[in-house]
Amino acid sequence: MIFFNDPIPLERPAENAIGMALAMQQQFAALRAAWKKRGFALDLGIGIAQGYATLGAVGFEGGGSTRASAASPTWPRACATRPRAGRS
């Protein structure tokens, strides 16, 4: 997870995030092809959310996770609709 505009203020954080996502997709194409030759079906999923985020530990003593409240509710739904990576 990457946060734009915090702690360093950016003039156009959404545009910066989109630009980085597009660059990552371009760079990933070669990696996807290389792994496919080895028998692995890998893909890249990128989501962009905008708004305030509250970070903190969620869970119980001895377990739990860290979440960002602005974006995290959307990623489980997105992941559930995508096929699992694995050997092809």
Side-chain angles (χ1 to χ4, degrees), residues 1-6 10 13 16-17 20-21 24 46-49 53 68 71:
M1 194 174 289
I2 299 172
F3 296 93
F4 287 84
N5 205 37
D6 186 28
L10 300 171
N16 292 115
M20 187 180 107
M24 288 172 63
I46 299 173
I48 298 174

Side-chain angles (χ1 to χ4, degrees), residues 54-69:
T54 303
L55 300 178
V58 177
F60 53 91
E61 188 175 327
S65 62
T66 302
R67 292 181 79 125
S69 62

Side-chain angles (χ1 to χ4, degrees), residues 36-88:
K36 187 173 184 173
K37 288 179 184 176
R38 295 182 178 117
F40 291 93
L42 299 180
D43 214 339
L44 174 67
I46 299 173
I48 298 174
Q50 187 169 285
Y52 291 101
T54 303
L55 300 178
V58 177
F60 53 91
E61 188 175 327
S65 62
T66 302
R67 292 181 79 125
S69 62
S72 60
T74 60
W75 71 264
R77 288 191 307 262
C79 291
T81 62
R82 303 287 299 168
R84 294 274 182 218
R87 286 200 176 262
S88 51

